[in-house]
Amino acid sequence: MPELSVKCPPDFSTAECGRLLSRRLPPGSLVLLDGPTGVGKTEFVRGFLRGLGFSGRVNSPTFVTLQVYEENAWRVFHGDMDRLAGCREDPEFIETLVQDRETSWSFIEWGDKLSSSVRNLFSIVLRVRIAWEGEALRLLTATLEKGEGHEWVGQWGAECRRSLPADGEEVRK
């Protein structure tokens, strides 16, 4: 499956990659977000929502565990599996997450804790790992784990590459 890595310098926000993804990611997609606290997972989702035209507040789902953002033409679910340790198949969380899954987008922080049976309900599964590299750089790695017609991954990568500051690097695997 396609994989893309982008080194994000200090003046390049993970929100910009999220905003650019909003142009390419098909509805019905599940995005699993992995990375340490404070690395930019919620910022990535905030950028995606801004790309859809959302201007409201975007909060981390750390304490609420699942935020739902919607406008007339779309719906985005933003959840956090970290707080559900021990009850990872919380029926209310899962039911909300999978409703309208064919026409909405779902972003799950600490996505590795979401069961494979729930992941398999989605037509597209994209894993986005954000990691610190040194003191200020972040490495964003996106891997398409499930889905057909994956040319959009390369298109998204090309857009991210063009948006990087002149000293930024992009690496393809």
Side-chain angles (χ1 to χ4, degrees):
M1 286 293 192
E3 184 172 282
L4 167 74
S5 293
V6 178
K7 284 189 179 181
C8 301
D11 55 349
F12 186 77
S13 165
T14 59
E16 180 62 11
C17 283
R19 183 186 70 78
L20 294 169
L21 181 63
S22 72
R23 299 177 182 178
R24 301 288 179 193
L25 188 67
S29 298
L30 170 65
V31 179
L32 306 172
L33 296 162
D34 296 321
T37 301
V39 77
K41 296 181 298 290
T42 296
E43 185 180 340
F44 184 86
V45 176
R46 185 175 294 119
F48 185 88
L49 285 162
R50 296 293 182 253
L52 294 177
F54 184 73
S55 60
R57 186 178 175 105
V58 178
N59 296 315
S60 171
T62 300
F63 298 105
V64 178
T65 67
L66 186 63
Q67 304 279 347
V68 180
Y69 302 95
E70 55 190 315
E71 294 282 332
N72 294 332
W74 54 262
R75 181 178 292 169
V76 173
F77 298 95
H78 181 203
D80 186 332
M81 290 298 296
D82 196 42
R83 297 288 181 203
L84 295 176
C87 58
R88 46 194 274 196
E89 293 298 323
D90 178 321
E92 185 176 328
F93 181 94
I94 299 303
E95 182 178 325
T96 302
L97 177 66
V98 300
Q99 79 181 32
D100 301 325
R101 69 183 172 275
E102 296 301 321
T103 58
S104 61
W105 295 272
S106 298
F107 292 81
I108 301 297
E109 296 188 18
W110 308 98
D112 59 323
K113 296 180 180 183
L114 189 64
S115 73
S116 60
S117 61
V118 174
R119 290 182 210 176
N120 286 332
L121 296 173
F122 291 84
S123 57
I124 293 173
V125 178
L126 178 70
R127 179 175 298 278
V128 175
R129 290 183 179 92
I130 307 171
W132 293 110
E133 189 168 281
E135 291 184 28
L137 281 177
R138 286 170 288 172
L139 179 63
L140 185 147
T141 305
T143 307
L144 185 62
E145 294 188 352
K146 179 183 176 189
E148 298 295 322
H150 47 73
E151 60 280 342
W152 60 268
V153 176
Q155 294 165 347
W156 172 47
E159 289 176 342
C160 284
R161 188 170 46 255
R162 284 191 300 271
S163 295
L164 280 171
D167 61 346
E169 291 182 47
E170 188 269 345
V171 179
R172 277 192 183 275
K173 292 182 181 177

